[in-house]
Amino acid sequence: MSDSFIVALNDSDDKRQYQYDHTVKYVIRQERIADYLSAAAFINRNGVGICCIQHEFGVFGGRSSKYLLTLTKALKVPYTIIFHTVLKSPDTMQMTIMKTLAYGASSIVVMSEKAVQLLRDIYHILPSKIKCIPHGVPDFEILDLQAKKHALDFPFRKTLLTFGLISPNKGLETVIRALPTIREQHPDIQYIILGKTHPGIKKVFGEGYRESLQYLAKTLGVERHLLFISAFVSEEDLHAYLTACDIYITPYLNEEQITSGTLSYAIGAGAVVVSTPYWHACELLKENRGRLFGFDDYLQLSVIVNNLLNRPAEIEVLKQNAYVYGLSLRWPKIGKQYAQLFKAVLTETKTRVIASKSIVTEAPTSTNPSSFSLRPS
């Protein structure tokens, strides 16, 4: 087998639901608890040195993703767990699951200092077990701005952009409500929402949220300034959009957003970012790397956007600050941190096994095998 492989998780009972490439060696069906046990057995017998688990509530089966515990309990190799969400006020089940996963893990990775603080203060996890590794971004190349603007039909318009899966907690209506005021100073303004409706939302509610945004724009008389691009775009095209837009906006409504991959991508691409002050944004946009506005405060947003669009020099400063910081988020650098962490875990595990085998004592006055003891270090 290769040096690594992937165990994927499908959100249906169909193991052929998605067309995975050769790196995926095993598939778990989300709500089939037996699959988690079988996956652990598959991992155990395939020469794995360490297992890396990406944790997010709602991804794994059972209440609060409790089926994942079936897998971790059956693993015979050390595992590192990456917590994509750390709740400030978990319920009893969430708290128990998080602490159980953390206790069994050889190491824990989170992507922000706020998450480190929550794991320490709320979940009482040893700080020595926690590693903060930022959300990585592609190794973006420098693009020709004017060429990309023309390619995307941006050349004669000021452009605001939000991308990602669309759902009601994204606060997109806040930007739409700000458009009339922005249009007063910048009549060529265009707000692009790039992305498909979240599959979980679409499955239950259809396209109701997207349609409500379109209706709001029509009611406010700014429907011609709003453009939906309902597509999953390539990494190259996403980079082009982030480069070509004038301002990237994340108007999320909930403070307790511990990690935002879309925000990391925007910073990594050197975009000018305006955001609500959720936890990850407060960390990424400090030191003059962006601007913050209050939750659901479309008036403040309009003031910030107008001020930036009226001050090209300030936009250039923010772009440069974001780009320089974004260099530290590139995948080669983030990947190196993970490689170092995994190497440390493997070394520690090997040392522990050797120490455990060596600490075998024999009582001098007895030849009874029961007098031998094996004690872990």
Side-chain angles (χ1 to χ4, degrees):
M1 298 192 69
S2 64
D3 289 340
S4 64
F5 64 86
I6 296 170
V7 174
L9 190 140
N10 284 5
D11 54 359
S12 79
D13 280 345
D14 182 8
K15 285 201 171 187
R16 296 182 177 85
Q17 179 183 8
Y18 303 109
Q19 298 298 314
Y20 297 115
D21 65 22
H22 68 281
T23 60
V24 175
K25 302 299 184 185
Y26 198 87
V27 175
I28 296 172
R29 292 166 293 183
Q30 185 182 49
E31 297 299 333
R32 295 291 187 96
I33 192 169
D35 283 7
Y36 294 83
L37 195 60
S38 299
F42 180 84
I43 293 168
N44 291 336
R45 68 173 178 263
N46 275 280
V48 172
I50 186 171
C51 180
C52 179
I53 299 172
Q54 306 274 347
H55 177 270
E56 178 66 278
F57 287 107
V59 171
F60 299 96
R63 180 184 165 191
S64 300
S65 298
K66 68 179 181 179
Y67 288 176
L68 179 57
L69 298 181
T70 301
L71 187 150
T72 57
K73 185 177 180 180
L75 282 178
K76 296 180 180 178
V77 298
Y79 70 87
T80 290
I81 191 153
I82 303 173
F83 287 130
H84 287 258
T85 295
V86 180
L87 301 173
K88 182 180 180 180
S89 303
D91 61 30
T92 302
M93 176 69 80
Q94 291 165 340
M95 173 69 82
T96 299
I97 290 171
M98 289 279 284
K99 294 188 75 169
T100 302
L101 290 170
Y103 179 80
S106 294
S107 61
I108 302 159
V109 175
V110 289
M111 302 179 202
S112 67
E113 293 300 333
K114 180 66 177 181
V116 174
Q117 178 249 312
L118 290 175
L119 287 179
R120 184 186 66 234
D121 297 345
I122 305 298
Y123 297 83
H124 306 297
I125 294 171
L126 289 175
S128 59
K129 208 172 190 179
I130 307 168
K131 177 76 171 177
C132 183
I133 301 178
H135 194 295
V137 302
D139 206 3
F140 292 121
E141 298 179 359
I142 297 177
L143 300 179
D144 184 323
L145 175 59
Q146 293 307 317
K148 289 303 176 184
K149 278 181 172 285
H150 281 274
L152 296 171
D153 196 26
F154 283 10
F156 306 112
R157 307 196 74 169
K158 300 280 194 321
T159 306
L160 312 177
L161 173 70
T162 298
F163 87 89
L165 293 174
I166 297 173
S167 60
N169 64 334
K170 295 298 177 67
L172 303 176
E173 59 275 8
T174 306
V175 186
I176 295 172
R177 290 193 180 100
L179 288 178
T181 304
I182 297 171
R183 183 184 57 180
E184 291 176 5
Q185 295 188 32
H186 303 280
D188 60 343
I189 196 69
Q190 181 180 50
Y191 179 38
I192 295 176
I193 299 175
L194 173 62
K196 288 183 172 291
T197 298
H198 191 289
I201 298 295
K202 186 174 182 178
K203 185 176 181 180
V204 178
F205 302 104
E207 293 289 358
Y209 180 58
R210 184 190 299 268
E211 291 166 0
S212 73
L213 296 174
Q214 292 171 324
Y215 179 77
L216 175 61
K218 184 176 181 179
T219 301
L220 295 173
V222 292
E223 66 270 25
R224 290 187 297 176
H225 300 269
L226 175 65
L227 175 63
F228 281 97
I229 301 177
S230 181
F232 291 116
V233 297
S234 67
E235 182 182 299
E236 181 181 357
D237 286 342
L238 177 57
H239 186 200
Y241 276 105
L242 289 170
T243 299
C245 75
D246 292 281
I247 298 174
Y248 179 77
I249 304 177
T250 56
Y252 304 160
L253 299 175
N254 187 359
E255 176 191 44
E256 296 187 24
Q257 175 108 7
I258 208 77
T259 306
S260 170
T262 59
L263 179 64
S264 296
Y265 267 54
I267 290 292
V272 176
V273 179
V274 176
S275 176
T276 48
Y278 55 91
W279 290 334
H280 198 204
C282 288
E283 288 190 24
L284 276 188
L285 300 185
K286 63 185 180 182
E287 298 179 5
N288 203 31
R289 291 192 289 265
R291 295 288 181 267
L292 299 173
F293 68 98
F295 294 106
D296 204 28
D297 193 340
Y298 65 91
L299 292 176
Q300 186 183 16
L301 172 60
S302 65
V303 170
I304 291 173
V305 169
N306 279 332
N307 285 342
L308 287 173
L309 293 178
N310 290 333
R311 297 176 173 85
E314 187 173 345
I315 279 184
E316 289 306 313
V317 170
L318 292 177
K319 280 186 174 182
Q320 182 63 20
N321 290 346
Y323 178 80
V324 170
Y325 180 78
L327 293 175
S328 68
L329 305 179
R330 300 292 177 95
W331 280 338
K333 292 188 177 181
I334 297 300
K336 186 176 181 180
Q337 292 185 57
Y338 276 103
Q340 291 171 340
L341 175 63
F342 296 156
K343 184 178 180 180
V345 169
L346 289 171
T347 300
E348 182 182 351
T349 301
K350 184 177 180 180
T351 301
R352 188 177 298 147
V353 169
I354 292 173
S356 296
K357 289 181 178 179
S358 67
I359 305 178
V360 178
T361 60
E362 180 180 357
T365 58
S366 173
T367 58
N368 188 327
S370 65
S371 66
F372 288 80
S373 64
L374 182 65
R375 294 178 290 133
S377 59

